[in-house]
Amino acid sequence: DEVRIPASEPIQELNIGEDTTGEELVYETESDQGSLLQSIQQNSTSTDTPIDENWRDIWTHQPVCTSYLSEFNSLLCVYTNATFSQGRGISIFTTPKIAAEFAALLPFHDDEILQKRGINSAEGSGLWTAKALPGKGIGMVAKRDLQRGELITAYTPYLISHAENVLSVQEREKFLQIALSQLPAASQEHFLDLAKYYYELSVVVQDVVKANTFQMDMGGRMHLLVVPEASRYNHACAPNAQYYIEPGILTHFVHAVRPIAKDEEITITYSTPYHPYSVRQNYLLEAFRFTCTCSRCAKGEDTDQSLVEIHDLQQSLGNWGADSTASVKQAERLVKVYLEEEFDGFLDFAYGHAALTYNSVGSARGTVKYAALAAEAAALKYGPASKDVRTWMDLAERPMEHSSWRRRKNVVVVSDGDGDSD
Ligand SMILES: C[S@@+](CC[C@H](N)C(=O)[O-])C[C@H]1O[C@@H](n2cnc3c(N)ncnc32)[C@H](O)[C@@H]1O
């Protein structure tokens, strides 16, 4: 029952914005603690590939491995299941220990789980089409009107790669090329057709990864994902869609966060929307090599003032000390600014602050209304099974049990023991 909610948005970036093809990157290099790998350390005379002899149970190709990498006490191997999801295929470059975690996931054991949930459906699916847009390469466009909350795309990656920085560019490319080459031909073509930065054939797989990466944690390690359908979403600083990844089913989901008209471009954000205009422009240019001309950027620095207001309101509403001047009026204002700025994809913050503020003055009705809205918004942003959704639902269901209840009620409460006295 924490009263505080994060003061600033966790950064949800499409690409890590660092040079995944370079050597200067510092990814985590602590050791993997798997028993298998520990046994290698103990018998360190042998760096033989510790491949599970039952690899055929899950993978269609014999794993191909690097030599032992002392930097993180493991080796890395390519694991491919070319028949994954009705022949879409998936290749994973990771440690044997983490590969075992991937192999335990449901989609590798239940052929129909993805299909039943409409995941990896035929391109277009009546909702969207990917087409060339002026100055933006290919983008995603709505084929019909979409409502807030509608699921637009749900796809699994073709390639998942451990975000290591211990291999040389050439060495990494060699393994990623193997990973790609073991996929079905149609998937290889689809992958190689994606946006690139360098157009250098000798590093083409890393080039595609760099321009199209989503991130996911697996086994405590960051992994880079290429989900070709989702790769076609262009960026906007106040996007009309949000994405999240559900690791348990290896699926990248995108939902509309406000009504999207037929023929309108569908956008996601590659960075935090809370940075001022010039910071966003520089970041997008450096990390993604484009000058953002989205509707928010078209207004230039004029929109920075609203970010200051959002910041100040969130600071005030997040102050739970005795000197707090937080009020319901401020919370209502925060919600209004979010809506005016078209921050529809981030409303869990505004609604969450509002829910807690209403609760803090003992207004259960206001709490229930806004906590339910925060839960809905968090579901679009982090997935229905996320911790955030649970937190807001708990608050909506039991406002008086939350530690924020009447926390700012400016009266001396003579408790009658039932916790809700007035
Ligand atoms: C993940 S891809 C998005 C799809 C890409 N447009 C394509 O043709 O495949 C990322 C690249 O798309 C382009 N892009 C994305 N958002 C953009 C925007 N708002 N304006 C211009 N270019 C954009 C940039 O070249 C960026 O590096």
Side-chain angles (χ1 to χ4, degrees):
D1 271 7
E2 258 290 300
V3 176
R4 283 184 48 244
I5 62 173
S8 65
E9 178 71 358
I11 297 175
Q12 193 185 29
E13 289 167 3
L14 177 70
N15 187 308
I16 56 171
E18 294 161 308
D19 191 353
T20 55
T21 60
E23 293 295 328
E24 68 280 18
L25 270 187
V26 185
Y27 289 120
E28 307 134 283
T29 53
E30 301 140 45
S31 64
D32 261 308
Q33 293 301 332
S35 54
L36 181 60
L37 299 174
Q38 274 160 6
S39 76
I40 299 172
Q41 274 176 286
Q42 279 147 19
N43 309 309
S44 58
T45 46
S46 163
T47 55
D48 283 351
T49 309
I51 295 303
D52 182 345
E53 55 194 34
N54 298 323
W55 60 264
R56 281 187 188 79
D57 291 351
I58 303 289
W59 312 111
T60 51
H61 295 65
Q62 176 155 17
V64 184
C65 303
T66 64
S67 54
Y68 174 75
L69 302 166
S70 59
E71 290 88 342
F72 59 117
N73 291 336
S74 180
L75 29 66
L76 292 162
C77 311
V78 173
Y79 299 87
T80 301
N81 182 327
T83 59
F84 184 78
S85 188
Q86 270 75 42
R88 180 178 169 90
I90 191 166
S91 274
I92 305 174
F93 184 47
T94 194
T95 65
K97 186 182 159 222
I98 298 176
E101 290 192 36
F102 277 112
L105 299 177
L106 209 51
F108 287 106
H109 302 276
D110 179 347
D111 288 346
E112 285 167 12
I113 179 91
L114 298 175
Q115 214 178 7
K116 270 192 249 160
R117 288 192 53 177
I119 296 163
N120 295 334
S121 74
E123 190 158 327
S125 74
L127 294 187
W128 58 273
T129 182
K131 65 177 191 189
L133 298 171
K136 292 181 167 186
I138 294 174
M140 298 287 277
V141 174
K143 283 215 299 206
R144 66 158 169 79
D145 291 353
L146 299 167
Q147 298 312 311
R148 176 174 169 93
E150 263 194 82
L151 174 64
I152 307 171
T153 50
Y155 290 93
T156 57
Y158 285 171
L159 180 70
I160 301 179
S161 176
H162 188 300
E164 50 70 33
N165 72 333
V166 299
L167 296 179
S168 70
V169 172
Q170 290 76 14
E171 185 81 342
R172 182 182 304 122
E173 186 70 17
K174 189 177 94 187
F175 286 94
L176 293 181
Q177 298 249 357
I178 293 169
L180 183 68
S181 72
Q182 293 180 165
L183 291 174
S187 299
Q188 289 184 45
E189 268 174 47
H190 196 181
F191 181 99
L192 290 171
D193 194 41
L194 295 176
K196 296 164 199 80
Y197 292 151
Y198 303 101
Y199 290 92
E200 176 67 55
L201 208 57
S202 64
V203 290
V204 66
V205 182
Q206 284 170 94
D207 197 358
V208 169
V209 170
K210 177 148 177 65
N212 297 280
T213 295
F214 291 92
Q215 298 178 36
M216 181 182 91
D217 182 275
M218 185 55 99
R221 296 308 176 107
M222 193 55 75
H223 285 71
L224 309 177
L225 276 60
V226 178
V227 186
E229 293 81 358
S231 288
R232 298 303 193 182
Y233 287 101
N234 285 318
H235 162 90
C237 296
N240 56 21
Q242 264 286 18
Y243 71 88
Y244 61 84
I245 292 161
E246 217 178 292
I249 50 169
L250 293 175
T251 302
H252 178 285
F253 289 93
V254 177
H255 291 84
V257 292
R258 63 172 168 265
I260 302 173
K262 180 174 184 289
D263 297 330
E264 189 181 338
E265 184 177 9
I266 309 166
T267 53
I268 58 173
T269 191
Y270 296 1
S271 69
T272 166
Y274 298 109
H275 283 152
Y277 170 70
S278 63
V279 175
R280 298 197 313 272
Q281 286 275 315
N282 288 338
Y283 172 71
L284 293 166
L285 191 57
E286 265 181 36
F288 299 97
R289 302 176 178 216
F290 69 93
T291 299
C292 188
T293 55
C294 76
S295 59
R296 190 170 176 79
C297 284
K299 295 179 201 145
E301 285 167 358
D302 288 355
T303 50
D304 289 352
Q305 196 47 44
S306 61
L307 296 177
V308 174
E309 188 179 3
I310 286 175
H311 175 266
D312 291 349
L313 286 167
Q314 292 190 166
Q315 284 284 105
S316 175
L317 295 168
N319 178 5
W320 292 87
D323 61 338
S324 175
T325 53
S327 67
V328 159
K329 199 168 155 215
Q330 286 174 1
E332 292 286 357
R333 174 70 193 156
L334 183 67
V335 169
K336 189 155 180 276
V337 179
Y338 264 72
L339 292 170
E340 281 170 4
E341 298 304 312
E342 297 195 302
F343 281 180
D344 308 84
F346 311 91
L347 278 166
D348 57 317
F349 269 61
Y351 290 148
H353 272 297
L356 292 169
T357 305
Y358 273 98
N359 213 39
S360 72
V361 298
S363 168
R365 198 144 55 113
T367 307
V368 170
K369 170 184 157 185
Y370 281 115
L373 286 169
E376 182 264 359
L380 297 181
K381 193 161 118 190
Y382 305 119
S386 69
K387 204 170 101 243
D388 289 66
V389 173
R390 191 65 260 159
T391 300
W392 298 125
M393 279 169 63
D394 283 348
L395 181 61
E397 283 160 21
R398 288 177 295 278
M400 292 169 198
E401 285 173 28
H402 194 268
S403 57
S404 59
W405 176 246
R406 292 178 60 97
R407 189 72 181 254
R408 293 181 180 134
K409 188 93 176 164
N410 211 5
V411 292
V412 180
V413 180
V414 182
S415 175
D416 61 6
D418 67 3
D420 64 352
S421 62
D422 242 319

